[in-house]
Each structure stands twice: as structure tokens, then as C-alpha cells.
Amino acid sequence: MTLIQGYLFRQILMPALAACAALAGIGILSQSLDQLEIIVERGQSVWVMIKLTLLATPQLIAVILPIGLFVGALIALTRLQREQELTAAFASGMTRWSVISPAMRISVMFALASLAMNLFVQPWAQRQARAEAFAIRTDLAALLVEEGQFVQGPNGLTVYVQDIEQNGLMKNLFIYLNDDGAVRTWSASEARFGRIGGEPVLTMIDASMQEYSSRGVLNYLSFDRFPFELGPYVPEDQRIRYKPSDLYLTQLLSPSPAVLEQAGSRGELLAEAHSRLSSPLYALAAMAMALAAILGGAFSRTGYTLRIAKAAGAFLALRIVGYGLVAASAWNGWVNVLQYLVPALATAFALRLLFRALKPRRRRSRVGALRVRPT
């Protein structure tokens, strides 16, 4: 890049990044407010809320990147045109393409960043968030234990803990279980939740168990350590059920029977795969439409409000159509072609307007216009 192109590159890049950061901040704030339920109703820590909010950020960024690029490019190009810096660049002998090439390079960078986000970062973050949400939903420490209270759980289970330390160690545990009339009680001086072989257990230390036999005899057993299995008392769905947004591209294109059973139909998975591959094209369309709004017409000292409004409306309609195509592709596989074609055609049309504006309009010559009237 030349010195002037480097200057234009920086002048457009910084507002675009600032617009994306502002939109991301608003989105993260909205996500954090939604996650307050985890603290209020589930008894989780603030760190868990922050972790879930951050894990939702990659999917949010993939959505706002084209929008932030469009807004930032409009701001930067409007300022450059108002201060006649673009006019000076053209007057110095730069061609139309050499002036807009820094902006298009930025759009390519945003498109590649969006593609990487869609293919790698987003599915990883979504899977981590899904696993974290599953752990919260099956967190028996929050569901079955409350310090100093008898907590009644499912299937006749009642748990009492006298004291819970900050490291999760429980003191003086009492468990009452009524299994269709068969009553058992456990007591332990210490206990801790954990997992053995992926199954949730409550490991009791210095424990004892009491129950009456069928003959009415009291049986008493003591244990140094006893793993009390909690599988029957957790929610029935013990598997993490992934959605199409949680899967990697290879899983979307070649799903296994297990993935099809829990994530959705083959059409839905293919629609999600093509959406991830085609959505970066909207970054190119966003920059092309922003350039067409500012440079796609004659210079105006009064501003470009009308052209910017038209470009913003067109870009909004383009994104709405894009989301509609993703939904329609789940039912008709041929619609997946339009997921690539629509943003590509929008980019080509905007660039056509941009380069056509450089050509002066020629008036059609009229026959006989130069005839000399007889005197």
C-alpha cells in the first residue's frame, strides 16, 4: 500500500473496530442481564455468570461484525468526504480502485475473521457453554443442599446438612430415603459431591446406614467412605443435547446418526453449515454498500443523509433476507445456493454503482441541432 492508502486504511479501520466494540458491549451487557437468573435462582457464583456471558460472545460477534463494519465505514467515509480528503486523493491521480482498495481489504479481513469465528471459535464456545449450563442444571449441590435446612428432593429423597464450608465440604450430613415404603437413613460426619465414571455421587466419610429388614430387624452398617449414587435423583436427561450452532462444520456436513437424533434433521444441519460459510460475504457487501452510499454519486456539500438512509435500509433488508434464507434452507436444500448468491450479487451491484459513478453522463446528440436557421 502507498502512504495515502495506508492513511485511508487506518482512518476506516479504527471507526469500524470502534463500532464493533460498541455493539459488542451492548450485546454483552444484554447477555449478562439474562444470566442474572443463574445467580438468583441457581445459587451460582458471579464467575459462572461471567463465564457464560463470555462464551456467548463469539456467536454475538459473528452477527455484529458486518453491522459494525457498515456503521464504522459510513462514519469514516463521511468524514473523509466532508473534509475533501477523498477529493484530494482523486486529484493526486489515484484511480477509483486504488482509493477504495484499503476499504475492501478491511472488509476481507473482517470476512476472514468472521469465517474463523464461525468455523472454530463459535462451536467451541457454544459447546463449552452448553456443558456449563448442563452442569448448572444438574448441580445437585445447589438443588439438594441448603445449609441448616431439610431439602426434599425427587423420588423420596430428603437431605440435611448442618454446615457447608467454602471449599464445598459438608459437615454433619443426614439423608432420609423413602423408596415405596422401604425407609433408609444415612448419616456422615463429612461429605462431598463428585463424579465416578461420569455418574454423580455423594462421597460420605465416617458414615453409617440404618434400615429395617423385611423381618423388622434394624440393620446398622458403618463405613469409612461410602459413595452414595445420585443417578436416580438427577434430571432424567443426563446427556448434553447439542444444537446445530454447537456443532463443528464436519459434524454439520457429515452428521452421525447420534447427531441427527439430538441436534436436528439433515436439512437443518446443512442450512447451518452453509450459513457459517456464506455469512462472511455480508462483510464484503457491507463495505461495498457503504462505499456506494458515499462515493456512488456526485459530491454534495449538504451531506449524504438520503443516500446513507437508502444504503442502511438496503443493508437491513439484505440481512433480513439472509436470515430468512437460512430458515428456508432447512426445508429446501436448493435454497442454500441463494445464501451465497444474495450477498455476492449485493456486493457486485454496489460496486457497479460505485464504478459507474465515475463515468460522466453523455448527452445524446440531437440530429439537426447544429443547423443554421435561414435568415
Side-chain angles (χ1 to χ4, degrees):
M1 287 190 297
T2 64
L3 183 63
I4 297 178
Q5 287 178 328
Y7 172 78
L8 295 176
F9 182 88
R10 293 188 298 271
Q11 293 300 311
I12 298 174
L13 178 62
M14 297 309 296
L17 293 177
C20 290
L23 292 175
I26 296 173
I28 291 173
L29 179 61
S30 176
Q31 288 284 342
S32 63
L33 293 177
D34 293 339
Q35 300 298 342
L36 284 177
E37 177 187 357
I38 296 175
I39 298 179
V40 176
E41 298 184 2
R42 293 290 184 173
Q44 300 296 320
S45 63
V46 178
W47 166 244
V48 175
M49 184 194 74
I50 295 175
K51 184 178 180 180
L52 287 176
T53 302
L54 293 177
L55 289 175
T57 302
Q59 187 177 27
L60 176 66
I61 292 177
V63 174
I64 67 173
L65 272 180
I67 303 174
L69 178 61
F70 180 75
V71 174
L74 282 178
I75 294 173
L77 292 171
T78 301
R79 186 189 65 80
L80 291 172
Q81 186 74 322
R82 184 179 63 249
E83 297 178 0
Q84 298 187 3
E85 296 187 35
L86 294 177
T87 303
F90 288 126
S92 66
M94 296 181 66
T95 63
R96 178 62 60 101
W97 176 250
S98 61
V99 171
I100 70 172
S101 62
M104 296 308 298
R105 291 180 185 181
I106 293 174
S107 67
V108 172
M109 291 171 50
F110 273 66
L112 293 177
S114 178
L115 183 62
M117 194 77 65
N118 291 343
L119 297 185
F120 305 107
V121 182
Q122 174 190 330
W124 175 85
Q126 288 293 106
R127 295 174 76 90
Q128 295 296 320
R130 197 73 60 189
E132 190 71 24
F134 177 80
I136 293 172
R137 190 172 65 252
T138 58
D139 185 4
L140 297 176
L143 297 176
L144 298 179
V145 174
E146 186 175 349
E147 188 176 89
Q149 299 290 332
F150 285 90
V151 178
Q152 187 173 1
N155 301 330
L157 180 69
T158 302
V159 180
Y160 173 85
V161 175
Q162 183 178 11
D163 183 38
I164 302 177
E165 297 182 355
Q166 292 184 352
N167 59 3
L169 184 65
M170 294 172 283
K171 298 286 188 177
N172 298 327
L173 171 75
F174 174 81
I175 296 178
Y176 172 85
L177 177 61
N178 187 349
D179 187 8
D180 294 332
V183 177
R184 293 181 181 179
T185 60
W186 283 264
S187 60
S189 59
E190 296 180 352
R192 186 184 296 274
F193 285 103
R195 287 184 178 271
I196 298 179
E199 296 294 327
V201 296
L202 178 63
T203 302
M204 294 185 286
I205 302 172
D206 191 13
S208 62
M209 187 272 291
Q210 304 87 32
E211 66 172 346
Y212 281 98
S213 66
S214 57
R215 298 180 179 180
V217 179
L218 177 65
N219 295 327
Y220 178 88
L221 300 174
S222 61
F223 311 91
D224 293 332
R225 297 177 68 91
F226 179 77
F228 182 81
E229 297 182 0
L230 296 171
Y233 312 104
V234 298
E236 295 180 359
D237 187 6
Q238 278 297 295
R239 295 183 303 170
I240 302 177
R241 300 189 65 87
Y242 293 111
K243 295 182 178 180
S245 59
D246 308 334
L247 304 178
Y248 289 99
L249 184 64
T250 54
Q251 295 175 304
L252 293 172
L253 295 176
S254 300
S256 63
V259 171
L260 290 173
E261 179 182 357
Q262 63 173 293
S265 64
R266 188 177 299 272
E268 292 174 337
L269 300 185
L270 285 176
E272 174 68 19
H274 290 291
S275 174
R276 292 190 194 177
L277 293 173
S278 62
S279 60
L281 296 176
Y282 287 96
L284 305 179
M287 181 60 75
M289 296 173 73
L291 288 169
I294 304 301
L295 300 178
F299 176 79
S300 176
R301 293 183 179 274
T302 60
Y304 305 92
T305 304
L306 182 59
R307 289 200 308 218
I308 290 175
K310 290 181 179 179
F315 182 71
L316 177 61
L318 179 66
R319 291 304 290 133
I320 293 175
V321 170
Y323 289 125
L325 290 175
V326 176
S329 299
W331 306 101
N332 190 343
W334 289 103
V335 183
N336 286 314
V337 178
L338 296 179
Q339 293 198 53
Y340 301 90
L341 193 59
V342 167
L345 289 178
T347 304
F349 182 74
L351 291 177
R352 173 62 178 169
L353 291 179
L354 182 63
F355 282 94
R356 188 180 63 178
L358 185 63
K359 299 178 181 179
R361 294 181 179 178
R362 298 180 179 179
R363 297 181 180 179
R364 295 181 179 178
S365 60
R366 296 180 181 179
V367 179
L370 300 178
R371 291 180 179 177
V372 180
R373 294 181 181 179
T375 57

